[in-house]
Amino acid sequence: MGDFNFERCESHSASLHKLMKSVANLFAVLALVLAATTAFFWDDLVALYYNKTAKPISIADKICAPLWVARAQNDPALQCYLTQKVERFCNEQEREHLIWTLREYRNESANFNADLALALVSVQLGYYAEQATDPKKDAVQALSQSQAKVAKRLQANGVAKAMKVDHISRRKLAANVQSLAEKGLIQLSDFGQWPDSLIVDGFKGLKAVRSTCGSS
C-alpha cells in the first residue's frame, strides 16, 4: 500500500472548499434576489387582496403627511397619525384613514426592504463584475468600487433619503395604539377579521377602557 499523498488531499480539499464557497455565495445572491422580487411586488399583491380604494382624508394630514417619505419605513409619520388630535378617531372616517395608513405603512416598508435587498445584490454582483473585468484587481478595491456605484444610484433614486428616516421601535408604536384603545377611541373590531399585527400588539394586555367619544 503506497504512501498517502497529503499534499494532493489538501489540494483537493482546498478546491472543494472554494467550490462550496462559490455555490454558497450563489445561493445567497439568489435568495436575496427572490426576497427582493417578492418585496418589490408586495404592494401590488396587497392592493389586489384588499381591493385598495382612494386615500381617505384626515384632519391630521396637514401635520403628518409632510413626514411621509416614498418607499421608506415611515415610523415618524405613523406615530404622528396615532398621536395627533386623537379625539378625531370618534369619527368613522378617521378610523378608516388609520386602517389605510397602516396598510400604506406596510407597503412602503416592504418597498424599502426590497430596495435594500436589491442594493445588497447589486453590490455583490458589481463586485463579481469588477473582478471579472480585472482578475488582478484587489478584492477590497473591487468591493469599494462596487459600493460607490451602488451608493450613487441609491442617492439618485431616493433610497438614500428613505434610509435617513428616523426609526421608532415597534414597542413605542404599539404603546401609541394601546393609548387609543384605552380611551375607547378604537376597537379591535374596527380593523376587520385580520387586523394588522401592530394593532394586535397594541390591544394585548388592555385592561381599563374609558369612553372618550361619549354615547355617540
Side-chain angles (χ1 to χ4, degrees):
M1 188 174 184
D3 294 335
F4 189 80
N5 193 327
F6 283 101
E7 291 184 359
R8 179 175 295 180
C9 180
E10 289 175 356
S11 176
H12 284 304
S13 178
S15 299
L16 181 60
H17 177 72
K18 288 182 180 179
L19 176 62
M20 291 178 67
K21 188 176 181 180
S22 298
V23 171
N25 286 335
L26 177 61
F27 273 106
V29 171
L30 290 175
L32 282 171
V33 171
L34 179 61
T37 303
T38 302
F40 186 79
F41 291 107
W42 184 254
D43 184 52
D44 294 328
L45 295 172
V46 171
L48 288 172
Y49 182 79
Y50 284 104
N51 190 24
K52 186 168 61 176
T53 56
K55 176 185 177 181
I57 298 173
S58 170
I59 61 174
D61 282 339
K62 186 176 180 179
I63 301 172
C64 304
L67 300 176
W68 198 270
V69 177
R71 303 185 74 83
Q73 185 168 320
N74 287 284
D75 294 343
L78 177 60
Q79 186 176 62
C80 181
Y81 279 116
L82 289 170
T83 57
Q84 287 293 321
K85 302 178 181 179
V86 295
E87 290 77 11
R88 76 185 198 276
F89 289 113
C90 292
N91 186 317
E92 182 180 358
Q93 181 176 320
E94 289 288 351
R95 296 194 295 274
E96 290 176 357
H97 182 276
L98 178 58
I99 295 170
W100 187 93
T101 300
L102 282 165
R103 191 179 305 155
E104 289 302 296
Y105 171 80
R106 292 300 179 199
N107 293 344
E108 293 288 52
S109 295
N111 288 334
F112 178 66
N113 290 333
D115 289 337
L116 291 185
L118 286 171
L120 290 174
V121 171
S122 298
V123 169
Q124 189 75 6
L125 294 178
Y127 166 75
Y128 290 145
E130 291 288 343
Q131 287 208 314
T133 303
D134 184 3
K136 296 181 179 179
K137 183 178 292 185
D138 180 72
V140 175
Q141 182 185 6
L143 181 61
S144 178
Q145 290 177 346
S146 176
Q147 289 175 334
K149 290 178 181 178
V150 172
K152 189 175 181 180
R153 288 201 299 270
L154 294 181
Q155 190 70 40
N157 62 21
V159 179
K161 181 180 179 180
M163 293 174 68
K164 294 178 181 178
V165 173
D166 291 337
H167 172 70
I168 299 173
S169 72
R170 182 183 180 85
R171 186 175 180 179
K172 288 183 179 179
L173 293 173
N176 296 145
V177 172
Q178 188 169 84
S179 177
L180 296 176
E182 288 173 344
K183 295 174 183 176
L185 292 166
I186 59 173
Q187 297 180 14
L188 191 57
S189 58
D190 292 332
F191 301 91
Q193 189 174 359
W194 294 288
D196 187 274
S197 59
L198 180 63
I199 296 296
V200 174
D201 288 348
F203 275 84
K204 284 180 180 177
L206 186 64
K207 297 178 181 178
V209 176
R210 63 183 185 276
S211 178
T212 302
C213 301
S215 56
S216 58

